[in-house]
């Protein structure tokens, strides 16, 4: 049994990471900037994690310690592994706090558990020390607070992290899986999980849904989703050499997660920030380009891109829509050429839907997918 530090005792830190460590009988110490949360963790000494759909018995997390940065030096002294889950915007601050307390002669293996762009680089730069081995992980597990310290969670079984960035360090914890060629794995996740989420969110918005699971289980959307999974699975296997059965299982886990009615989520949360999601190499345009590369059907994601361009859910995006035409969004944000097939296809769906909107007064529900 080793000692692992979890920096950040929020939903992911105490609800996902702590559960994985508890299942491997690891000794856990939380470090969190919120003194009231630390006080509560130490006072209550335990909390429960229940699972969506009651797919397994509740898990009790106990036997941990918790402290603020003021008392973190002693906790870090004997740490074998450090997991960081604080939100990407907070990584520089965490790196500076760690740098104050890290001994020069020690090597500290650290994993940034953030769904952010290159979180390991941001954290390592803030630490500013060569002896910090900083890797990164992607978090698939959905967690929500369930009252007090308790967590309601998806039963996702492991944390995948970048093996190459660990520089030979092996965690020795079965629920933490170092993955070689991690950038390819992130692309696989982006084009499988995140792209599917966009199909559900933006086409769900078109059909007037607010509940995410209801949108995912709409027969028409589900048929389009399955069509896109099939095409995406084929091109990912061709591009990266994944086994067909392995990729099919990966996609099936994604589908099961999104269609699970016991996971409470909203279309608005999954549709937010369309400007980022429409980036050239992001979750909508990226897989569209790959599908076109191999001559596969990209129409589902092209429809999704059109819906994202027309999405009316955020003030910042409405401002962008006022400043740029759909064509300019496709060139300036999506990085598409005006004479390209993808540009024409998406703009065609935009025009079709806008025409329907002018006729009915409302894009939602009235436009056939």
């Amino acid at each position: 049994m080793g000692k692992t530090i979890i920096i950040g005792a929020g939903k992911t830190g105490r609800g996902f990471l702590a559960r994985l460590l508890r299942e491997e009988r690891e000794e856990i110490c939380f470090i969190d900037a919120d003194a009231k949360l630390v006080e509560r963790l130490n006072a209550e000494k335990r909390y429960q994690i229940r699972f969506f759909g009651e797919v397994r018995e509740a898990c009790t997390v106990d036997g941990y310690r918790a402290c603020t940065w003021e008392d973190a030096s002693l906790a870090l002294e004997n740490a074998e592994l450090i997991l960081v889950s604080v939100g990407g915007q907070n990584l520089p601050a965490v790196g500076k706090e760690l740098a104050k307390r890290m001994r020069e002669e020690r090597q500290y293996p650290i994993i940034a558990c953030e769904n952010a762009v290159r979180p390991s680089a941001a954290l390592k730069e803030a630490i500013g020390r060569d002896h910090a081995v900083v890797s990164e992980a992607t978090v698939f597990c959905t967690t929500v607070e369930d009252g007090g310290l308790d967590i309601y969670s998806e039963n996702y079984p492991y944390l995948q992290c970048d093996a190459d960035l660990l520089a030979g360090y092996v965690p020795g914890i079965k629920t933490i899986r170092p993955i070689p060629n991690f950038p390819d794995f992130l692309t696989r996740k982006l084009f499988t999980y995140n792209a599917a989420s966009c199909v559900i969110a933006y086409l769900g918005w078109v059909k007037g849904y607010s509940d995410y699971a209801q949108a995912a289980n709409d027969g028409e959307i589900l048929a389009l989703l399955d069509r896109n999974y099939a095409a995406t699975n084929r091109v990912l296997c061709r591009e990266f050499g994944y086994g067909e059965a392995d990729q099919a299982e990966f996609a099936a886990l994604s589908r099961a997660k999104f269609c699970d009615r016991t996971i409470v989520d909203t279309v608005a949360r999954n549709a937010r920030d369309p400007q980022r999601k429409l980036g050239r190499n992001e979750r909508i345009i990226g897989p569209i380009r790959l599908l076109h590369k191999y001559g596969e059907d990209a129409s589902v994601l092209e429809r999704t891109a059109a819906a994202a361009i027309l999405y009316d859910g955020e003030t910042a995006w409405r401002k962008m829509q006022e400043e740029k035409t759909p064509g300019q969004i496709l060139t300036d944000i999506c990085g598409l050429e005006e004479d390209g097939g993808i540009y024409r296809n998406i703009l065609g769906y935009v025009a079709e839907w806008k025409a329907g909107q002018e006729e009915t007064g409302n894009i939602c529900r009235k436009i056939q997918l």
Side-chain angles (χ1 to χ4, degrees), residues 41-102:
L41 283 164
N42 286 326
E44 297 191 15
K45 302 184 185 304
R46 65 178 60 211
Y47 60 90
Q48 274 203 326
I49 300 172
R50 297 191 303 115
F51 297 93
F52 298 130
E54 310 299 330
V55 294
R56 54 175 286 192
E57 292 184 1
C59 170
T60 298
V61 178
D62 56 12
Y64 55 79
R65 294 191 304 112
C67 65
T68 62
W69 282 113
E70 292 180 359
D71 302 313
S73 295
L74 183 60
L76 291 166
E77 184 71 20
N78 300 312
E80 295 182 13
L81 176 64
I82 301 171
L83 305 179
V84 180
S85 177
V86 295
Q89 71 279 9
N90 297 317
L91 289 172
V94 167
K96 291 176 182 178
E97 294 290 349
L98 281 171
K100 297 175 187 177
R101 297 165 175 83
M102 295 169 69

Side-chain angles (χ1 to χ4, degrees), residues 191 235 279-282 284-296 298 301-302 334-336 342:
F191 289 10
V235 298
R280 175 178 173 81
N281 296 312
E282 262 285 347
I284 300 176
I285 303 301
I288 289 175
R289 291 168 56 227
L290 189 62
L291 288 163
H292 274 258
K293 175 181 176 179
Y294 289 103
E296 288 280 358
L301 286 175
E302 288 168 344
C334 303
L336 297 175
I342 300 173

Side-chain angles (χ1 to χ4, degrees), residues 187-207:
T187 298
R188 181 189 191 188
K189 183 245 183 186
L190 193 72
F191 289 10
T192 305
Y193 271 72
N194 300 81
S197 178
C198 286
V199 171
I200 296 165
Y202 291 116
L203 297 188
W205 169 75
V206 167
K207 298 200 73 174

Side-chain angles (χ1 to χ4, degrees), residues 251-310:
L253 285 170
S254 160
R255 187 185 192 276
K257 174 190 178 82
F258 297 142
C259 293
D260 188 344
R261 294 181 184 273
T262 67
I263 299 178
V264 179
D265 207 348
T266 65
V267 165
R269 190 189 74 82
N270 287 276
R272 67 189 178 191
D273 198 8
Q275 180 171 349
R276 177 172 62 88
K277 292 178 171 68
L278 283 167
R280 175 178 173 81
N281 296 312
E282 262 285 347
R283 61 206 67 192
I284 300 176
I285 303 301
I288 289 175
R289 291 168 56 227
L290 189 62
L291 288 163
H292 274 258
K293 175 181 176 179
Y294 289 103
E296 288 280 358
D297 175 20
S299 62
V300 176
L301 286 175
E302 288 168 344
R303 292 169 186 261
T304 300
I309 289 171
L310 295 172

